[in-house]
Amino acid sequence: MSANTTGEGAGTDAEDAYVPAFSEAPFGAILGGLAAILSSIGTAWIGALMLLIIADVVGRNFLDAPITGVSEIAARSVVAIVFLQVAAAILQRRLTRADFVLRRLEGASPRALAIFETVFALCGAVIFALVLWASYPKLVDAWRTAEFFGVQGVFTIPTWPFRLITVVGSALAALAALYVANDEIRKARRAP
């Protein structure tokens, strides 16, 4: 992964520059661009979900008119938002982990840190590939059978769009993890 470390764009951390120039890394640029788009959709979804929940609370408490299906939409949305944003989190190296350990390791041996990050990224790639492998048949089945969730006659929504987000998000996350692993391998080779 190539990052802007030349000082251009003051205030931009190298970690935040996770979309390399297309001329430097075409695959990384496409992957980073797709991850950024999906992450933006997830962020907008969070805002829309907040507005829906607020409208439901106001409608329920002040107008005695709750919005049907909010709890079902919210439950499915949380998972969808995670899968929309996980690839960008991987590329930005912002997954939850013990940074204090990584900082100490980096101080002791940059090569050891790069090897550790490579193993971490490869484990992530395997996990997201397994999620993809387990989720794809469920997507096909949900599409074929017109599966829905909710209460028939009251509120229903098809499950296939949510399953599609899981499949696409896990595929992109696995590719992002492999991309990060490749970048960390290059760092390990260059490290003293």
Side-chain angles (χ1 to χ4, degrees), residues 79-80 83 131-132 135 161-171:
V79 175
F83 279 97
V131 171
L132 173 63
S135 299
F162 297 94
R163 296 197 186 278
L164 178 63
I165 290 169
T166 302
V167 166
V168 171
S170 58

Side-chain angles (χ1 to χ4, degrees), residues 45 71-81 147-150 157 159 162-163:
W45 195 334
S71 61
E72 289 89 355
I73 292 170
R76 299 290 179 170
S77 292
V78 171
V79 175
I81 290 165
E147 179 185 18
F148 64 90
F149 64 89
I157 190 165
T159 60
F162 297 94
R163 296 197 186 278

